[in-house]
Amino acid sequence: MQQPDLDEINHNLRLMMDIDEISAYLCRSCLQTSKCDGCAVNVWDPSEEALRIACLHLPNEFQEVVKVYQEYRIPLDENDANIAVFQTLENAHFTSHDQINPHTSTHNRFERWHMQELYILPITLNGDCAGTVMLFNCSRIIPSEHIALLNSFIHLFCQPLINCSRMREIRASSELFESLFDIDDAFLEFLSQIPSQQDLIEKNHAISHYLVELFEFELGTFSVIENHQMRILPAYSTDAVKSQQQRFNDFYRKVQPELDLSGGANVTSYIQQTPLYFPDVEKIINLPMSLNDKEFIKLVPETKTVVYIPVMLNEKAYGTL
């Protein structure tokens, strides 16, 4: 067990001016002190009203998942233990023996990351909170004295993270103002030409076709929410993957995922209002995932890269692409 050097931490923090750099330093410090198997630093993003995963360390067997969770957001109204810790400023502790609600992120993390024990600690100082730190082990218990040591220095990261967050928000506001003058006129022109009398399936086909060609994908479609379930619309595809398109459509003609985190990555993107990017499906095929995702990959094993993007209007999600 390594004793933290508070003076060294303060000195290093004074040299850092970036949220992700500070978060990575906090993650390293927590891992060195606790010897835990996994750690996530979730930083409060006021512009999104959500906690953002700014740094994530997982055991070697889950390394491919780290890319997926980069920039992952946990909204303030989400039933997530990190949000409860952020709001109450109190530690949370779970073990694999606890009765955890199966429809929560905490339950999914225990199941998919093979957790035995989980601690969530607030990054707090004088009533302010910059986010949370999530620490877990897969094969052993985390000694309570390790948690006491973590609490002795985590507060040092609170004000630097808040200061960097404010600076990032100011820069983002400036960039957003400038981007208002750089809207994709071609796409707007394309949308204006879609006849209003077209039905949902026809509009989906036209827009999916446009976006698949524009971004050089092979298959694409939208999902919509109907009767508290996600309906995945028939996909458009290039000629090269017509067989996969047929299997995709056949599968989602029968399957309408429930709107909870067990419904799969598509539903998770909708609920969390955050994009999910899987650059190489083959590398995560043996990792824990929802039954829907597992069955789809089994049916369409040629799947290489998948992206889910929530369709948003006025800060509300209406479906996914």
Side-chain angles (χ1 to χ4, degrees), residues 97-223:
H97 303 296
D98 294 337
Q99 296 294 319
I100 302 172
N101 185 334
H103 300 295
T104 62
S105 302
T106 302
H107 179 273
N108 287 339
R109 292 181 188 117
F110 265 89
E111 193 172 72
R112 296 178 184 178
W113 295 350
H114 304 163
M115 292 182 183
Q116 291 297 313
E117 187 173 29
L118 167 68
Y119 274 94
I120 304 177
L121 314 177
I123 309 170
T124 182
L125 179 67
N126 298 328
D128 292 326
C129 191
T132 64
V133 175
M134 190 166 64
L135 293 149
F136 71 89
N137 269 345
C138 300
S139 58
R140 59 190 185 280
I141 298 300
I142 305 171
S144 58
E145 56 267 26
H146 287 196
I147 301 303
L149 277 177
L150 292 169
N151 282 323
S152 74
F153 70 80
I154 284 179
H155 68 279
L156 299 176
F157 290 79
C158 182
Q159 198 58 53
L161 284 171
I162 289 175
N163 292 343
C164 286
S165 179
R166 287 171 179 162
M167 289 301 300
R168 175 176 282 194
E169 193 173 10
I170 291 170
R171 287 195 299 268
S173 297
S174 174
E175 291 168 3
L176 176 61
F177 181 77
E178 293 174 5
S179 72
L180 292 176
F181 299 97
D182 191 30
I183 297 173
D184 188 345
D185 292 332
F187 185 53
L188 292 178
E189 175 66 21
F190 164 77
L191 291 178
S192 70
Q193 294 175 3
I194 297 177
S196 59
Q197 64 269 25
Q198 279 191 349
D199 65 20
L200 179 62
I201 301 299
E202 291 172 326
K203 289 177 179 176
N204 171 70
H205 185 273
I207 300 172
S208 297
H209 182 179
Y210 182 94
L211 294 175
V212 164
E213 298 292 336
L214 180 64
F215 294 106
E216 298 183 352
F217 276 82
E218 292 178 311
L219 183 147
T221 190
F222 287 85
S223 70

Side-chain angles (χ1 to χ4, degrees), residues 27-44:
C27 188
R28 289 195 306 273
S29 300
C30 288
L31 289 169
Q32 290 170 359
T33 301
S34 67
K35 306 300 181 186
C36 285
D37 295 321
C39 177
V41 176
N42 310 301
V43 177
W44 174 245

Side-chain angles (χ1 to χ4, degrees), residues 10 12 30 32 44 51 56-57 90 124 144 162 166-167 194 200 210 227 240 252 255 263 270 276 284 292 302 316:
N10 269 321
N12 291 336
C30 288
Q32 290 170 359
W44 174 245
L51 291 170
L56 177 64
H57 173 88
E90 295 181 357
T124 182
S144 58
I162 289 175
R166 287 171 179 162
M167 289 301 300
I194 297 177
L200 179 62
Y210 182 94
N227 300 320
Y252 282 114
V255 175
Y270 165 78
L276 292 179
I284 64 170
N292 286 337
E302 305 92 332
K316 180 180 178 181

